[in-house]
Amino acid sequence: MKKGSMQKSKQWNVKGALRMAGVFNFLHSCGSGCLLPFLTLYFRHLGLNASMIGIIMASKHLLALVWRPFSSVLARQYDKRRTVIVGSLLSSALVVLILLLFPSTGIQIESGRCNASQPDADPTALLATLEQTTVSSQSNATVYSVNQISLSTEQPVDVNTTVSLNWSARGLKSLKKEDDLHTEFLGSLKAMDAQHQMFFLVLIVMALWECMAAPLEWTADDGLYEYLDFVDATDRHKGVKVWKQLGAAFGNCAVGVLVTSLFCLTGASVEFYSYAILMILTIPTAALLPIYLRKRERLTSGGFKALQLVHGNSQAILCAITVVLMGMVSSAVSDFLFWQMQDCGATEIHMGISLALVHISQTGLAPLSGHLSRFLKYHGWLLVLAVVSLAMQCLYYSFLWSPWSVIPAQLLAGFSTGALWWSITSQSEDIATPGTEKTIFRLFEALSLELGAAFGSLTAGFVVQKFGVMVLFQGAAVLLALWSSALAVLKWKIPRQRRINYSRLLAADTEMSESDTDQEKDWLETAMEDDRGETSGQWKRLNQ
């Protein structure tokens, strides 16, 4: 009786738990939306080139690929989920601020935004001026010594002049030694220029930040899912994801407006402080987040089971290849689309609004996923449609001509992203055994958002460094167009293998049993009414 009453009380708290989880996901996604999409722009501001940025972002994705599932399992095994969540929020908010301590080492593309006297400055002339200034500042002592020598040659050379030149030469040698010692990185690497020193510093900080931030999402999601599973309400878990999309959209718009308005006063530091503040504001909700407390259990091999299920199904293998490819292209777009927009004159407000449209359109189109799947008669064709849509986006991105010209492609991006995940969800349900649906979905998620994204960032960085952003997007469009054609043919040729989902079958059987019981009840009531009618008729005839 006590156990039943406990379960009943928990069921009464489901709505409150979902509201708290919604607030948590909104604040966390809002903070992530304030910073993560704009990181590559900040790295460009620091003077890093495209290949360096590609390596940094690829390292971030690879570290998340390994550390996120491992940390989630450890937090579950030792029942430290809430501690991990709170610690991740606080430490990630503090570590990311270290990036603000690094000065810029390159040419600031956006430096003319606050110079009202030269609104139409020639970029080529600005580049030449900055290079000349940099060279003159670096070799100021050398130029000075040469002038001294030239002046001394025009005048009679005496002993005092010779002594002064010797002191000037000794001073130059000592300055050169000090510069050489200063350019050594951590005392263990060879002398590097300022750009490579900045690259290694940013790489170390980003790796540390990812170690702090990566465990949060899966740990919080697992705790909420098991809580809802305990009270038999897992069907309401999908509703929490809407708040993630809305929070990311709000963060994109808010930080875009703030940075554009305050850029001449604060620069891009608003993005970092907004992230840190929102992560700290999320901590109270994390302390109240509903998390199911469970006893220590043996580690399960759910991931290996999911790999076996995917490997044993041809359609699932096609889906896995597709999500890796789309993850590569999506990562390339997220890393360098804002570069393309910035070259077209866009500011952070254009970028923030355009990115928010992706999340809003994806949320708005989510209710249509079921109707679209039924219209196409098979979710595999929805995957083909997602690939085609992303190919059209990339082709459009390569021909941007103004800051607002990106809007149509961003609306299409909401559909292509949504169609991809709708198809993945259906594919996971097709091949899953009882209790493995979520694990299979996370496998596809890791293949796309981490493994594919790592390869995409790395490749995109070298392509942009060698050929430019326009060639990157055009090449991605061609690659996706070819794969969409091959995918359509393979989907048509390979037979669809669908595993029996016993949980669905049990639910359907329960519904049919209830309907059969209702039909039997209706039939019995009708027969009894007929029998009553016949009996009353007989009594009337007997009375007559």
Side-chain angles (χ1 to χ4, degrees):
M1 185 68 183
K2 185 177 180 181
K3 182 178 180 182
S5 62
M6 181 182 67
Q7 290 181 351
K8 187 176 180 180
S9 64
K10 284 183 177 293
Q11 288 177 357
W12 281 106
N13 293 328
V14 169
K15 291 184 178 179
L18 290 173
R19 282 195 293 268
M20 185 59 63
V23 174
F24 171 84
N25 283 280
F26 181 87
L27 291 175
H28 178 255
S29 298
C30 185
S32 300
C34 288
L35 179 61
L36 293 182
F38 303 94
L39 274 178
T40 55
L41 275 183
Y42 184 75
F43 295 156
R44 191 185 197 189
H45 162 78
L46 292 180
L48 303 181
N49 57 39
S51 59
M52 292 178 175
I53 294 175
I55 294 173
I56 291 172
M57 300 305 291
S59 303
K60 175 180 179 296
H61 292 302
L62 289 176
L63 185 59
L65 177 66
V66 177
W67 178 235
R68 180 175 288 131
F70 185 66
S71 60
S72 176
V73 170
L74 290 179
R76 179 178 184 269
Q77 179 70 15
Y78 293 98
D79 199 14
K80 297 294 183 181
R81 281 175 172 162
R82 199 178 304 277
T83 303
V84 170
I85 295 170
V86 174
S88 177
L89 289 169
L90 183 60
S91 58
S92 62
L94 297 177
V95 170
V96 76
L97 297 178
I98 299 176
L99 292 174
L100 293 176
L101 302 178
F102 301 153
S104 175
T105 62
I107 300 169
Q108 300 180 16
I109 303 298
E110 67 276 12
S111 59
R113 288 167 60 177
C114 299
N115 189 359
S117 61
Q118 295 179 351
D120 297 324
D122 185 10
T124 307
L126 179 62
L127 177 62
T129 304
L130 289 173
E131 288 179 349
Q132 184 178 359
T133 304
T134 304
V135 172
S136 62
S137 63
Q138 291 178 350
S139 57
N140 186 35
T142 306
V143 173
Y144 177 77
S145 64
V146 172
N147 291 336
Q148 287 288 89
I149 294 174
S150 62
L151 288 174
S152 63
T153 54
E154 294 176 358
Q155 299 175 357
V157 179
D158 55 6
V159 177
N160 294 329
T161 304
T162 305
V163 172
S164 63
L165 288 176
N166 290 333
W167 278 107
S168 178
R170 291 177 183 177
L172 287 175
K173 290 181 180 179
S174 63
L175 288 174
K176 188 173 184 299
K177 291 180 180 179
E178 291 178 1
D179 290 339
D180 291 341
L181 292 175
H182 180 69
T183 55
E184 288 183 359
F185 181 69
L186 300 179
S188 60
L189 300 176
K190 295 181 179 180
M192 296 179 294
D193 57 11
Q195 188 183 43
H196 284 83
Q197 288 185 1
M198 180 65 67
F199 165 69
F200 282 104
L201 286 173
V202 172
L203 183 63
I204 292 172
V205 174
M206 286 297 294
L208 181 61
W209 180 38
E210 190 62 31
C211 288
M212 300 295 104
L216 188 145
E217 188 173 355
W218 282 20
T219 303
D221 189 66
D222 287 343
L224 176 62
Y225 185 85
E226 292 182 6
Y227 174 87
L228 295 176
D229 183 50
F230 180 75
V231 296
D232 296 327
T234 53
D235 56 326
R236 306 183 66 177
H237 181 259
K238 294 181 180 179
V240 179
K241 295 181 180 180
V242 176
W243 294 105
K244 293 183 179 181
Q245 299 290 340
L246 296 178
F250 183 82
N252 298 150
C253 286
V255 80
V257 173
L258 288 175
V259 173
T260 304
S261 303
L262 304 175
F263 184 82
C264 296
L265 297 176
T266 61
S269 61
V270 175
E271 300 165 355
F272 292 85
Y273 289 121
S274 300
Y275 173 86
I277 291 172
L278 285 167
M279 291 299 106
I280 293 175
L281 290 177
T282 312
I283 292 177
T285 63
L288 300 175
L289 191 68
I291 294 178
Y292 177 61
L293 301 178
R294 59 188 307 138
K295 298 179 180 179
R296 295 186 181 183
E297 298 176 355
R298 295 178 59 186
L299 295 177
T300 58
S301 57
F304 296 103
K305 179 65 175 177
L307 283 172
Q308 291 176 354
L309 292 173
V310 172
H311 183 265
N313 189 285
S314 301
Q315 295 285 351
I317 293 175
L318 280 180
C319 185
I321 297 173
T322 304
V323 297
V324 170
L325 184 61
M326 291 195 69
M328 291 176 61
V329 176
S330 298
S331 177
V333 169
S334 63
D335 287 348
F336 296 104
L337 175 61
F338 286 175
W339 282 36
Q340 179 83 332
M341 293 180 65
Q342 191 178 62
D343 294 340
C344 293
T347 58
E348 283 77 7
I349 190 170
H350 302 99
M351 302 171 189
I353 293 176
S354 65
L355 194 59
L357 287 176
V358 178
H359 300 292
I360 294 174
S361 60
Q362 184 179 348
T363 304
L365 293 173
L368 303 177
S369 60
H371 299 286
L372 188 58
S373 298
R374 286 191 294 270
F375 175 76
L376 296 174
K377 298 181 180 179
Y378 174 42
H379 61 79
W381 301 119
L382 192 61
L383 185 64
V384 176
L385 195 59
V387 177
V388 173
S389 300
L390 185 56
M392 294 172 62
Q393 287 172 231
C394 292
L395 185 62
Y396 186 92
Y397 289 147
S398 65
F399 297 106
L400 295 181
W401 62 91
S402 67
W404 292 115
S405 61
V406 74
I407 298 299
Q410 294 297 86
L411 294 175
L412 184 61
F415 170 77
S416 64
T417 305
L420 172 66
W421 295 113
W422 302 333
S423 179
I424 290 174
T425 302
S426 300
Q427 183 65 65
S428 301
E429 293 174 352
D430 277 358
I431 65 174
T433 57
T436 60
E437 294 91 343
K438 187 179 180 182
T439 307
I440 295 174
F441 180 83
R442 279 194 171 171
L443 175 61
F444 285 123
E445 189 179 44
L447 289 175
S448 177
L449 299 182
E450 307 303 346
L451 182 63
F455 290 137
S457 295
L458 187 63
T459 305
F462 287 103
V463 171
V464 172
Q465 181 73 18
K466 185 70 175 179
F467 304 103
V469 181
M470 184 180 295
V471 174
L472 171 68
F473 290 147
Q474 291 175 354
V478 172
L479 179 63
L480 289 175
L482 294 175
W483 176 246
S484 64
S485 302
L487 182 63
V489 173
L490 293 173
K491 285 284 184 183
W492 180 56
K493 291 289 186 182
I494 297 177
R496 182 184 180 187
Q497 301 174 359
R498 187 171 183 177
R499 185 181 296 272
I500 298 176
N501 194 320
Y502 292 98
S503 58
R504 285 191 196 171
L505 189 61
L506 181 61
D509 183 65
T510 304
E511 293 177 359
M512 290 179 63
S513 300
E514 292 176 355
S515 63
D516 291 342
T517 304
D518 293 337
Q519 291 177 1
E520 291 175 0
K521 188 182 296 183
D522 294 340
W523 172 83
L524 182 59
E525 290 177 355
T526 305
M528 292 177 65
E529 289 177 358
D530 293 341
D531 185 65
R532 290 195 193 100
E534 292 178 358
T535 304
S536 61
Q538 291 176 359
W539 276 105
K540 287 180 181 179
R541 286 196 296 270
L542 289 173
N543 291 331
Q544 291 177 356

